[in-house]
Amino acid sequence: MSLRVVIVDDHERFRAQAAELLRLERFTVVGDSDTAAGGVELSRRLAPDVVLLDVGLPDASGFDIVPAMRATGAAVVLTSSRSATDYGRRVVDSGAEGFINKDELTGEAIRSLLR
């Protein structure tokens, strides 16, 4: 079964690249947004299995909206171009399933966090 994904990231190029990569790895990308508010709305409307969520958005911190995303029933995977160690305990404390550096994004990396 293909996991349904919403991508929330303020960089259009990353959203497009991530969507293509995930489609090639048998995920179904059902939507994307460049803002936290738009991502929460999409997640409520589309009920994805997974939200790939950038920690640095123009209208909110990804860390702060993890609870709203999880309330839609989605698993949340945080992402950033920075290292997870730069964020200390914030990744764990956020309630997200985990963190993947943007350079290390793969379908297997997401699946391993969901196991």
Side-chain angles (χ1 to χ4, degrees), residues 55 63 66 76-79 83-100:
V55 299
F63 294 114
V66 169
V76 178
V77 175
L78 294 166
T79 188
S83 169
T85 59
D86 291 346
Y87 298 110
R89 294 226 14 110
R90 291 190 79 189
V91 172
V92 172
D93 293 345
S94 72
E97 276 60 36
F99 177 94
I100 301 172

Side-chain angles (χ1 to χ4, degrees), residues 7 9 36 48 58 77 94 105:
I7 301 169
D9 193 288
V77 175
S94 72
L105 179 65

Side-chain angles (χ1 to χ4, degrees), residues 29-107:
V29 178
V30 294
D32 67 76
S33 177
D34 61 351
T35 64
V40 171
E41 190 279 324
L42 270 180
S43 294
R44 286 181 180 144
R45 188 165 43 88
L46 300 175
D49 301 304
V50 180
V51 174
L52 187 62
L53 178 61
D54 187 16
V55 299
L57 296 166
D59 57 337
S61 164
F63 294 114
D64 295 339
I65 65 166
V66 169
M69 293 296 194
R70 289 186 52 92
T72 70
V76 178
V77 175
L78 294 166
T79 188
S80 175
S81 56
R82 294 175 56 187
S83 169
T85 59
D86 291 346
Y87 298 110
R89 294 226 14 110
R90 291 190 79 189
V91 172
V92 172
D93 293 345
S94 72
E97 276 60 36
F99 177 94
I100 301 172
N101 184 283
K102 288 182 180 183
D103 290 339
E104 298 170 1
L105 179 65
T106 65

